C-alpha cells in the first residue's frame, strides 16, 4: 500500500470508529511557567480570561525542576482558574529541563490534585510531560505516592511505535509533532493516525500550532518550520483525526514564535525581542471559537459563533532576504529557511454565508476573495502572494469592516531578519 493510500486508510478507519462524546473532548494550551518569574496575579487572570473567551478549556502547565518560582506561580494559576470557573489545569513536567526526583514530581501532583481546577479523567488528576521516556520506569512509584494519576506523556522522541511499547505505563499519549519536518512545506496527520493505532484505544492528545521560528544562539537554535498554512491545515486534520484531546503548542513560548497569547514583554526570553515585539499573534485566536466548536461536535457543520471574522497572517519581508541569515529549514535541516518560506498572506475566514474579503498591500496589490461557503462548513482559506515589488501596509476588509496591519517591506539586515509572522483579524 502506498504512502498516500495508507494515510487515507488510517484516517477512514479512525473516522469509522466510535467517536468521543462531545462533552469529553477538550482543548488545552501549553503554558510555559518557566517564563513567569515575578508574574503578577493580574497577568494570570488576563491569560485565563483570554483563553476562556477563545473557547480553550484549560492550560497544560509546563514546569521545570529548578525554577524557585514554580510553586508560587502554580498557586496563582490554580487560584485564578478556580475563581474563574469552568477552566481546568494539569501539570506537564519538562523532563528536558533538568533532573527530577520521584518525590519532587509526586509532591507537585499532590499539592494540586484536589483543586477544583485540576483536570481529571476517571477521577484521577491528569499529568503530562515534555519528553522523559528515560524516566518512564519511575511513574509506577509516582502513582503509588499520589493515589493514582491519569498519565498522558509526550514521548515524541520514541515515535508512535515506541510509545506503543509502553502501554502498561501510560493512559494515553500526547504528540509534540505539530510542525512540518525539515524540508517539508506542509504537515499531514499520518503520524497522528499512527499514534491512535499504536495506543489501542488509550487517549490521544494531538498537538496543533500556528507557527515556528526561533533565533536563540545561546541555545544553538535558529530554524524555521514552514507555517504559511499550518494553522488551517492542522485544524482540518483535527477534524479528520478526532483525537480525544487537543493541545495548542503554545500559549506563550515567545522564543519559538508559537505563541497565541497577547504579548507579555516580561516573558520574552533574551534575544527573542527582535522577532517578537511588533509581531502580534493574538488574532490567531479569533477563529478558535468556531474551530473548537467544530472539533467538539465532530463536524465542520456547526453554527458560526459570534460575527463573521477573517484572520490574516504573514511575514513582513520576502523570503529572499533570508537566504543568508543562517536559519535552517526545519529542525535539523540543512537547507536555508528561505527555501521553505512562501511569500503569501494567509487568510482564514469563518462566515455565516457567502462573503467577500478584500486584501490590499499598500498601493501595489489588491485581491478580492469570495468565501467558498457551503452548508456543511462556514470556513474558507485563501492565500495572496507577494514579492519584493509588493510593499506597504496590509489591509483586510470583510463586511465593510477594515483592519490595517504592519507593512510588508523589502529591506532587512541579516542581524534583525525575522521569519516570524504577524497576525491581524477583522
Amino acid at each position: 500500500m502506498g504512502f498516500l493510500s495508507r494515510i487515507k486508510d488510517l484516517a477512514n478507519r479512525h473516522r469509522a470508529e466510535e467517536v468521543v462524546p462531545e462533552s469529553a473532548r477538550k482543548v488545552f494550551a501549553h503554558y510555559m511557567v518557566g517564563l513567569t518569574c515575578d508574574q503578577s496575579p493580574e497577568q494570570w487572570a488576563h491569560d485565563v480570561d483570554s483563553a476562556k473567551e477563545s473557547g480553550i478549556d484549560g492550560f497544560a502547565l509546563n514546569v521545570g525542576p529548578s525554577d524557585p518560582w514554580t510553586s508560587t506561580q502554580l498557586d496563582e494559576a490554580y487560584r485564578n482558574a478556580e475563581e474563574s470557573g469552568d477552566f481546568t489545569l494539569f501539570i506537564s513536567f519538562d523532563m528536558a529541563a533538568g533532573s527530577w526526583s520521584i518525590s519532587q514530581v509526586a509532591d507537585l501532583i499532590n499539592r494540586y490534585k484536589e483543586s477544583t481546577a485540576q483536570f481529571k479523567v476517571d477521577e484521577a488528576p491528569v499529568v503530562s510531560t515534555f519528553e522523559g521516556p528515560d524516566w518512564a520506569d519511575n511513574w509506577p512509584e509516582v502513582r503509588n505516592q499520589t493515589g493514582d494519576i491519569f498519565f498522558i506523556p509526550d514521548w515524541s522522541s520514541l515515535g508512535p511505535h515506541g510509545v506503543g511499547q509502553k502501554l502498561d505505563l501510560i493512559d494515553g499519549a500526547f504528540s509534540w509533532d505539530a510542525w512540518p519536518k525539515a524540508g517539508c512545506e506542509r504537515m499531514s496527520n499520518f503520524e497522528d493516525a499512527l499514534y491512535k493505532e499504536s495506543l489501542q484505544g488509550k487517549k490521544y492528545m494531538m498537538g496543533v500550532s500556528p507557527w515556528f521560528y526561533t533565533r536563540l544562539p545561546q541555545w544553538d537554535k535558529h530554524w524555521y518550520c514552514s507555517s504559511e498554512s499550518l494553522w488551517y491545515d492542522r485544524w482540518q486534520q483535527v477534524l479528520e483525526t478526532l483525537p480525544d484531546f487537543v493541545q495548542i503548542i503554545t500559549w506563550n513560548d515567545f522564543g519559538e514564535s508559537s505563541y497565541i497569547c497577547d504579548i507579555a514583554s516580561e516573558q520574552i526570553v533574551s534575544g527573542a525581542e527582535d522577532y517578537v515585539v511588533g509581531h502580534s499573534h493574538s488574532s490567531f485566536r479569533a477563529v478558535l471559537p468556531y474551530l473548537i466548536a467544530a472539533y467538539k461536535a465532530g463536524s465542520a457543520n456547526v453554527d458560526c459563533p459570534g460575527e463573521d471574522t477573517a484572520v490574516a497572517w504573514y511575514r513582513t519581508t520576502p523570503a529572499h532576504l533570508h537566504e543568508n541569515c543562517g536559519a535552517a529549514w526545519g529542525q535539523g535541516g540543512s537547507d536555508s529557511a528561505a527555501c521553505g518560506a512562501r511569500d503569501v498572506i494567509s487568510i482564514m475566514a469563518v462566515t455565516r454565508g457567502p462573503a467577500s474579503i478584500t486584501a490590499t498591500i499598500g498601493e501595489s496589490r489588491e485581491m478580492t476573495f469570495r468565501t467558498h461557503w457551503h452548508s456543511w462548513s462556514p470556513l474558507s482559506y485563501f492565500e495572496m502572494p507577494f514579492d519584493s515589488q509588493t510593499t506597504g501596509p496590509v489591509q483586510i476588509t470583510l463586511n465593510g469592516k477594515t483592519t490595517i496591519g504592519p507593512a510588508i517591506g523589502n529591506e532587512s539586515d541579516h542581524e534583525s531578519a525575522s521569519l516570524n509572522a504577524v497576525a491581524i483579524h477583522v
Side-chain angles (χ1 to χ4, degrees):
M1 180 181 292
F3 179 76
L4 292 177
S5 297
R6 177 128 173 97
I7 292 176
K8 293 178 180 178
D9 177 69
L10 285 170
N12 290 336
R13 189 187 317 169
H14 290 305
R15 287 299 298 268
E17 294 173 354
E18 181 179 357
V19 298
V20 181
E22 177 184 348
S23 60
R25 294 194 186 106
K26 302 291 182 184
V27 175
F28 298 91
H30 196 83
Y31 198 112
M32 307 296 291
V33 178
L35 302 177
T36 63
C37 178
D38 297 325
Q39 178 159 295
S40 69
E42 290 76 19
Q43 181 65 48
W44 279 111
H46 174 77
D47 286 338
V48 169
D49 290 346
S50 298
K52 283 184 63 174
E53 289 170 2
S54 302
I56 295 170
D57 295 293
F59 289 143
L61 299 166
N62 178 296
V63 297
S66 57
D67 293 329
W69 58 85
T70 293
S71 293
T72 299
Q73 295 301 334
L74 286 179
D75 285 350
E76 286 297 337
Y78 274 89
R79 184 182 65 80
N80 274 279
E82 289 171 353
E83 292 179 356
S84 180
D86 198 27
F87 194 80
T88 57
L89 310 171
F90 62 90
I91 297 174
S92 175
F93 292 91
D94 195 326
M95 295 293 177
S99 178
W100 290 88
S101 68
I102 293 175
S103 60
Q104 193 178 10
V105 170
D107 288 349
L108 273 181
I109 294 170
N110 285 330
R111 185 182 181 104
Y112 302 105
K113 67 182 182 181
E114 300 304 329
S115 168
T116 56
Q118 173 64 49
F119 179 50
K120 295 182 178 181
V121 174
D122 296 339
E123 302 303 316
V126 168
V127 174
S128 188
T129 71
F130 174 72
E131 282 302 334
D134 55 339
W135 212 81
D137 291 339
N138 292 318
W139 286 102
E141 180 57 26
V142 172
R143 289 183 189 273
N144 181 55
Q145 292 188 21
T146 58
D148 206 9
I149 57 174
F150 199 93
F151 187 41
I152 311 178
D154 157 49
W155 289 340
S156 298
S157 59
L158 299 180
H161 177 73
V163 169
Q165 302 303 303
K166 295 184 177 294
L167 297 185
D168 58 325
L169 296 173
I170 64 177
D171 302 291
F174 165 46
S175 172
W176 197 259
D177 187 34
W179 302 275
K181 291 178 170 53
C184 296
E185 287 189 348
R186 304 291 282 264
M187 183 102 190
S188 82
N189 62 339
F190 179 63
E191 194 158 298
D192 300 293
L194 290 179
Y195 268 106
K196 290 191 71 174
E197 187 173 57
S198 296
L199 285 168
Q200 300 180 33
K202 290 180 181 283
K203 302 295 186 184
Y204 179 54
M205 182 176 286
M206 181 172 170
V208 175
S209 188
W211 201 264
F212 193 103
Y213 172 64
T214 183
R215 187 178 72 239
L216 297 172
Q218 65 267 41
W219 292 305
D220 195 26
K221 296 169 62 172
H222 195 186
W223 71 86
Y224 164 75
C225 296
S226 296
S227 303
E228 287 79 13
S229 63
L230 184 60
W231 194 231
Y232 173 76
D233 291 343
R234 283 303 273 171
W235 280 106
Q236 293 300 293
Q237 291 160 15
V238 163
L239 285 179
E240 294 171 6
T241 306
L242 289 179
D244 301 280
F245 309 114
V246 169
Q247 188 171 155
I248 298 170
I249 316 172
T250 62
W251 181 257
N252 66 329
D253 194 340
F254 297 104
E256 297 187 346
S257 305
S258 60
Y259 54 95
I260 63 168
C261 65
D262 301 334
I263 292 176
S265 59
E266 65 276 7
Q267 292 186 7
I268 302 173
V269 297
S270 177
E273 301 92 341
D274 288 344
Y275 57 91
V276 171
V277 176
H279 293 75
S280 173
H281 285 191
S282 303
S283 289
F284 280 119
R285 303 199 309 267
V287 288
L288 277 179
Y290 163 75
L291 295 170
I292 293 173
Y295 156 63
K296 290 185 175 181
S299 169
N301 184 15
V302 297
D303 291 337
C304 173
E307 298 181 353
D308 293 359
T309 188
V311 177
W313 61 95
Y314 57 95
R315 288 176 292 102
T316 56
T317 51
H320 77 88
L321 293 178
H322 304 275
E323 290 175 351
N324 300 310
C325 69
W329 180 10
Q331 185 174 9
S334 57
D335 293 330
S336 167
C339 298
R342 293 186 296 115
D343 292 339
V344 296
I345 297 174
S346 305
I347 302 171
M348 197 169 169
V350 180
T351 60
R352 293 187 183 85
S356 293
I357 300 171
T358 300
T360 304
I361 304 174
E363 298 180 355
S364 56
R365 180 165 298 177
E366 179 176 297
M367 294 181 69
T368 297
F369 304 93
R370 190 73 173 168
T371 58
H372 38 267
W373 183 88
H374 303 281
S375 60
W376 48 267
S377 176
L379 185 67
S380 299
Y381 177 76
F382 313 99
E383 290 183 353
M384 177 182 180
F386 65 88
D387 55 33
S388 58
Q389 305 304 312
T390 314
T391 60
V394 173
Q395 179 173 294
I396 304 294
T397 300
L398 170 66
N399 296 340
K401 296 182 180 179
T402 297
T403 294
I404 299 176
I408 294 175
N410 194 24
E411 294 183 5
S412 179
D413 63 77
H414 298 324
E415 293 300 319
S416 62
S418 172
L419 285 160
N420 193 7
V422 63
I424 61 175
H425 76 279
V426 60

